[in-house]
Amino acid sequence: MISRIACVAALVAGLGAGPAAAATPGNWPQHGGGAANDNYQSGVGKLDVRRQVWQRQAGGDDSVGSAAIAGGKLTVAYGKGALRRFDVRTGAVSVVGTLHGRRPLQLADVDGALYVRSLDADGTRSRLASYDRGGNRRWEVTLPDDEAILPFTVAGGHVLVTSGPKCRELCTGHHLRAYRVRNGTLAWTGAVEGDAGGAPAVQGDTVVQGAYGPVRGTGDGSGGASLLFAFDVRTGIRLWTRARPGFSLVGHRGSLLAAGAGDDALCSLHPGTGAVRWCRGAQAADEWVDGLSAGGGALFGYGLTGTVRRYDPESGAAAWSTPLALPGYEYNASHAALVSGGGHVYAAVRHGNFTPESEFTELVVLRAADGHVVRRLRLAAYDDTSAELMLAAGRLVLVGDRTIRAFG
């Protein structure tokens, strides 16, 4: 998990988005909730986060590797290989098993199967494996010996994962690979001509990988620009490429929504062709849009300067803007992507002045209709450096690198 604090210093490349079945109450099976990566949960009710209801801590020098929710159960893969399952409502825990010799880095719980990306305990090899929900391994493959292995997305009958070299300058050499969910065999490989970042984005039958790569005459003067590479999710055939926009991507109602900066800070693309349906510029010169959540006929984004906005997904017009920055703090950064559902929008915001003693995290609940702040809940002694919000089973769950907290 990567802290959204990083957006103070660097842009975040394309996050995953996808199709698949609509989210159901109690499910947050992979990054962004589902294959659409829309950070939206239907049927959750008006949860306004009055208090913390339970908390679980990684023991000793252990850490939280990754977590996913399906059927009202939170499955957690800890950094030393332990698999645990929690009742989302109560926090009651059961032991699933142990991934011996593995350091789990990412977990998804999709259609009754667990998918885990891990590193060997000695740090030598990266693995991708599938388990049943009892922790029994179905298959395992060794990933290519690349320096950078990016987060995966499960969609279209495949586990989609991009890897390549670590680069100090503009580079190529990344590849998107599709492994079959039934047996882990490699279905296809597609070249990504740039320094790829984030999980593959899937909408309809199209998978898109974001990257930063060499483009003559565009970009920031370095000879590079934000790039999108699109493939048919089932066959791997290259469909289209385009320069800009896109730091984060979500799928919503047949559109691929790309967030970025400048004149194309928020765009709607046709997933099959990459054609632009509409684009909107940034609200301020020093701002970009990030942390998207789309659903219920609305689109929400978080800006670098600490403002949540609601956009019309059909036109990109902003319906309201609500600043979450607090006076006296130099940064007020989104600590996780926004999540929405049940008529509310939820944000985890990290405030600070670039010193450990000044930093703190709060949960903020906004009314989706008008942006009114319903609640601000400051978290006591929260010092995790990464965070992910999950909205499922009548709880807002905050997963950090050391703690898991549930609110209701």
Side-chain angles (χ1 to χ4, degrees), residues 44-66:
V44 296
K46 295 185 179 297
L47 175 66
D48 63 1
V49 186
R50 294 178 179 272
R51 62 190 177 91
Q52 180 175 305
V53 294
W54 59 263
Q55 177 175 328
R56 296 292 177 266
Q57 186 86 19
D61 60 352
D62 208 351
S63 61
V64 178
S66 188

Side-chain angles (χ1 to χ4, degrees), residues 139-361:
W139 53 259
E140 181 178 83
V141 297
T142 301
L143 293 172
D145 190 19
D146 289 330
E147 296 176 289
I149 309 290
L150 303 181
F152 64 79
T153 298
V154 181
H158 298 110
V159 184
L160 303 155
V161 58
T162 301
S163 64
K166 289 183 179 178
C167 303
R168 293 184 178 180
E169 304 294 337
L170 294 174
C171 72
T172 59
H174 284 68
H175 288 85
L176 171 60
R177 294 177 175 87
Y179 297 90
R180 296 180 180 91
V181 297
R182 66 177 184 273
N183 57 16
T185 56
L186 181 65
W188 56 263
T189 299
V192 176
E193 295 138 15
D195 192 358
V202 181
Q203 176 63 18
D205 290 328
T206 303
V207 54
V208 183
Q209 177 64 62
Y212 189 84
V215 176
R216 188 173 301 172
T218 65
D220 57 6
S222 66
S226 297
L227 305 174
L228 300 178
F229 298 87
F231 306 86
D232 185 292
V233 72
R234 304 189 189 281
T235 66
I237 295 172
R238 174 78 70 85
L239 299 177
W240 51 267
T241 62
R242 62 172 297 120
R244 295 173 63 104
F247 305 139
S248 61
L249 305 169
V250 305
H252 180 64
R253 295 184 176 180
S255 290
L256 188 67
L257 298 163
D263 293 337
D264 47 13
L266 186 63
C267 293
S268 175
L269 308 179
H270 188 288
T273 65
V276 174
R277 289 170 167 159
W278 53 257
C279 277
R280 292 278 180 168
Q283 300 288 316
D286 60 346
E287 187 165 58
W288 62 76
V289 181
D290 198 10
L292 297 179
S293 179
L299 172 66
F300 305 94
Y302 192 89
L304 174 64
T305 55
T307 298
V308 177
R309 291 185 174 89
R310 172 174 173 158
Y311 304 92
D312 181 347
E314 301 302 322
S315 67
W320 51 254
S321 299
T322 300
L324 300 186
L326 294 175
Y329 291 94
E330 295 182 57
Y331 63 82
N332 303 269
S334 177
H335 206 34
L338 299 174
V339 301
S340 60
H344 287 146
V345 186
Y346 304 87
V349 184
R350 189 76 168 171
H351 306 281
N353 291 315
F354 298 101
T355 60
E357 61 273 12
S358 71
E359 295 182 345
F360 71 93
T361 296

